[in-house]
Amino acid sequence: MNLPTSPTPADSRVLPAAHPLQSGRTSASPLVTTYQGTRGPVTPVWMMRQAGRSLPEYRALRVGTDMLDACLDPAMASEITLQPVRRHGVDAGIFFSDIVVPIKLAGVDVSIVAGKGPVLPHPVRTADDVRNLPTLDEAALAPISEAVALTVDALGDIPLIGFAGAPFTLAAYLVEGGPSKDHIAARTMMHSDPESWQALMRWTATVTGAFLRAQILAGASAAQLFDSWAGALSLADYTAKVAPASALALARVHGLEYTAPDAASRTVPIVHFGVGTGELLGAMHDVGADVMGVDYRIPLDEASRRLGGTVPLQGNIDPAFLAAPWPVLEAHVLDVLERGKAAPAHVLNLGHGVPPDTDPAVITRLVAFVHQVAADAASSLPAPTPAA
């Protein structure tokens, strides 16, 4: 599968002067510097799906509003993004949206069914289906840009992370028509009709790359590509049939430059995360990621070993521990922090999303605990010897 890349035009590689990274508001934040590979005194912490279903204020706000309508209401999407930052004191916001939003904005009929997920009444399974997919008019992304701008203004020096679904995960939804346990229809199309598969992957890479780029240009300080279903693939299939499309999507945000406080030229950090992808870590990193998210199935020290010990990591608390007694969760968090030391730098996160029935007080306590661990470690250091 040889998808040509679509590099960002040279004259648009430099972020605008008002961008939080370029202006210095977020470029020295613990999250961004950790993503850049610098281990600081504090391990930054945020949670996937921290915005949304586990929060009572979210459920109250969403009453009577469809999920995708909420994603496309800039004021509502911004408020939902900000809710966990206010409540939990996390070190970053994660933009509230859904991976199928760019598909909907392109004109594909898709809805999110409660308790099931994205549903498409007209699956894409033939060459004609692929040819008839609509072209995304990037002007349709205006509500996304507006929501990000509102959120960034409210966050101040706390960075916002933009996110998008990886091309394979989007393609799997399109082919299957909804969630699937084994993605057999998508994997069958991959092998039985490789030309249509390549065209479908090009389409998904184009729309999701545009979605991610819009968030970055509007003020997000990092990008995360989320591949929910890549764990269903063999390494050979991922490398040959999927990785080129992920690289094409990330080409829209790869190399966006800003000047750091130390006057060095840096680029917007890119995180790549997948579920059940321990065997794919190296290949997923190679598509253009700076940081690898790791799910809860392998320990961080093993993940770092597989990546050659040179890649910053994000993860990987098992979400199941959030309902365990506090001493059990505390011991697990300390273990994750200790294993994270094998990597050059580490952002603490879950190894998947916050379960909907999680007690929000547990997340708040967890974030405070991680910050306190850093404070206690700093206070235990010997005092510097006075200069002669």
Side-chain angles (χ1 to χ4, degrees):
M1 182 179 185
N2 297 308
L3 294 176
T5 58
S6 177
T8 306
D11 62 355
S12 61
R13 282 195 181 277
V14 178
L15 293 175
H19 192 283
L21 288 172
Q22 194 71 275
S23 68
R25 283 168 54 193
T26 60
S27 53
S29 65
L31 180 91
V32 171
T33 54
T34 302
Y35 278 164
Q36 298 285 9
T38 299
R39 183 178 289 276
V42 175
T43 299
V45 53
W46 68 277
M47 306 286 169
M48 285 182 283
R49 290 185 183 154
Q50 66 187 17
R53 55 194 185 173
S54 67
L55 299 183
E57 56 266 43
Y58 164 79
R59 294 192 290 270
L61 184 63
R62 271 281 316 281
V63 170
T65 304
D66 176 80
M67 172 64 177
L68 290 179
D69 289 341
C71 293
L72 294 173
D73 180 324
M76 184 175 288
S78 176
E79 170 59 22
I80 294 170
T81 303
L82 294 167
Q83 287 174 346
V85 180
R86 298 192 198 106
R87 177 186 275 264
H88 301 314
V90 286
D91 294 298
I94 177 71
F95 182 55
F96 175 79
S97 192
D98 191 273
I99 62 172
V100 299
V101 164
I103 292 176
K104 181 178 179 64
L105 291 176
V108 173
D109 185 6
V110 58
S111 60
I112 296 180
V113 177
K116 185 172 184 180
V119 173
L120 298 96
H122 308 292
V124 177
R125 294 184 178 172
T126 68
D128 283 343
D129 291 337
V130 176
R131 279 193 293 269
N132 290 330
L133 284 168
T135 300
L136 172 67
D137 179 355
E138 294 193 17
L141 295 168
I144 304 305
S145 300
E146 182 180 348
V148 169
L150 287 171
T151 306
V152 167
D153 284 346
L155 283 173
D157 60 1
I158 298 172
L160 176 69
I161 302 166
F163 92 104
F168 174 74
T169 288
L170 296 183
Y173 279 121
L174 285 163
V175 177
E176 302 285 347
S180 167
K181 291 183 178 180
D182 56 11
H183 315 289
I184 188 67
R187 293 189 292 115
T188 297
M189 182 181 182
M190 177 189 297
H191 296 291
S192 63
D193 189 354
E195 290 186 4
S196 295
W197 177 257
Q198 180 167 330
L200 176 60
M201 290 297 281
R202 183 190 301 278
W203 188 88
T204 57
T206 298
V207 298
T208 206
F211 179 58
L212 191 56
R213 179 178 171 83
Q215 295 171 59
I216 299 301
L217 293 184
S221 294
Q224 175 162 294
L225 195 68
F226 192 106
D227 214 340
S228 305
W229 306 132
L233 300 171
S234 68
L235 176 58
D237 282 349
Y238 179 84
T239 302
K241 306 290 187 179
V242 171
S246 292
L248 178 59
L250 290 180
R252 295 301 306 275
V253 294
H254 197 270
L256 290 174
E257 298 178 354
Y258 68 95
T259 303
D262 61 1
S265 177
R266 301 192 184 279
T267 58
V268 175
I270 296 172
V271 186
H272 201 184
F273 173 80
V275 179
T277 51
E279 300 303 317
L280 309 180
L281 287 175
M284 291 177 69
H285 175 253
D286 289 345
V287 303
D290 303 301
V291 181
M292 284 306 301
V294 182
D295 79 357
Y296 56 88
R297 292 169 176 83
I298 63 170
L300 290 180
D301 48 354
E302 172 60 16
S304 186
R305 186 193 68 78
R306 295 183 186 189
L307 289 162
T310 61
V311 180
L313 297 182
Q314 179 173 279
N316 66 342
I317 297 168
D318 185 340
F321 279 79
L322 296 178
W326 175 256
V328 176
L329 174 58
E330 180 182 291
H332 178 54
V333 171
L334 289 173
D335 181 65
V336 171
L337 288 170
E338 183 63 29
R339 293 177 185 276
K341 293 177 182 177
H346 173 217
V347 172
L348 190 73
N349 204 293
L350 296 182
H352 203 185
V354 176
D357 57 353
T358 299
D359 180 354
V362 172
I363 300 293
T364 304
R365 185 178 183 183
L366 189 159
V367 173
F369 174 71
V370 173
H371 290 161
Q372 188 60 47
V373 167
D376 291 346
S379 66
S380 67
L381 294 174
T385 304

